[in-house]
Amino acid sequence: QQQVKQSPQSLIVQKGGISIINCAYENTAFDYFPWYQQFPGKGPALLIAIRPDVSEKKEGRFTISFNKSAKQFSLHIMDSQPGDSATYFCAASWAANDMRFGAGTRLTVKP
Amino acid sequence: GAGVSQSPSNKVTEKGKDVELRCDPISGHTALYWYRQSLGQGLEFLIYFQGNSAPDKSGLPSDRFSAERTGGSVSTLTIQRTQQEDSAVYLCASSLARGSYNEQFFGPGTRLTVL
């Protein structure tokens, strides 16, 4: 059972554009929603995370938007750069339970 | 400080052979996780350890998979009688403790190829 659904599977954006990746979840008990970034040959690394008591969190060019009623959250990358080209995973977890990851989005930012 | 390390980085084996994958977590991290990443797929949770205990082994794909952790540190994932469908990148992560708000730090993974 896929608890976190992520889209799109791949995304191509021009340099300077906005990259948007969406995730939807089913379990209303989830209370922590991180995004991980993975470069080729490396393990994923935490990029930014949000808890459901806020609707938006911004760190530099990266913003998470969270819609609790719709059970959806998204990652926005403003002014996308070629160095942002990577695979992005959304995830969700609750209490002391284990994290469930989305299928990943391969982002390519063209110069 | 050192991050999570995994060895070997690449492993090529023949179908039917056993393989052992090793993970060295960050010192002081009590929680350790194993994931499998197949080509074009997300991260499939396999098993976690809190200390040396693995309370839930239901994520392991089959009884050919087993894992252990000793001394609250190093963990080994063993795959017996490997099959071609076992080919994937096996990732290990550790965190200070198990729980939502504890960041998981990932190692670089072991790429397993079963011929």
Side-chain angles (χ1 to χ4, degrees), chain B residues 52-73:
Chain B
N52 292 334
S53 300
D56 182 3
K57 301 181 180 179
S58 61
L60 295 175
S62 75
D63 57 9
R64 295 185 296 103
F65 287 71
S66 63
E68 65 176 14
R69 188 179 186 195
T70 56
S73 181

Side-chain angles (χ1 to χ4, degrees), chain B residues 6-65:
Chain B
Q6 292 185 246
S7 60
S9 55
N10 281 284
K11 177 70 176 179
V12 180
T13 190
E14 293 180 348
K15 177 182 174 181
K17 301 280 190 181
D18 297 352
V19 295
E20 280 191 356
L21 312 180
R22 176 188 169 107
C23 172
D24 277 277
I26 293 173
S27 177
H29 281 194
T30 62
L32 185 148
Y33 306 81
W34 283 98
Y35 295 88
R36 179 168 68 175
Q37 185 175 23
S38 302
L39 186 64
Q41 301 296 313
L43 298 171
E44 177 188 4
F45 170 78
L46 298 178
I47 191 171
Y48 86 91
F49 288 89
Q50 182 59 48
N52 292 334
S53 300
D56 182 3
K57 301 181 180 179
S58 61
L60 295 175
S62 75
D63 57 9
R64 295 185 296 103
F65 287 71

Side-chain angles (χ1 to χ4, degrees), chain A residues 9 31-32 36 38 41-46 51-52 87 89 93-104 106, chain B residues 33 35 37 39-45 48 56 58 89 91 98-109 111:
Chain A
Q9 189 173 23
D31 65 354
Y32 179 63
Y36 280 78
Q38 183 182 31
K42 304 290 186 183
L46 180 66
R51 300 182 192 180
T87 299
F89 294 96
S93 66
W94 74 104
N97 292 279
D98 306 299
M99 205 166 295
R100 293 294 180 262
F101 287 83
R106 178 171 290 187
Chain B
Y33 306 81
Y35 295 88
Q37 185 175 23
L39 186 64
Q41 301 296 313
L43 298 171
E44 177 188 4
F45 170 78
Y48 86 91
D56 182 3
S58 61
V89 175
L91 291 162
R98 185 180 177 225
S100 288
Y101 310 139
N102 289 288
E103 179 182 351
Q104 292 188 22
F105 294 83
F106 283 83
R111 181 176 296 277

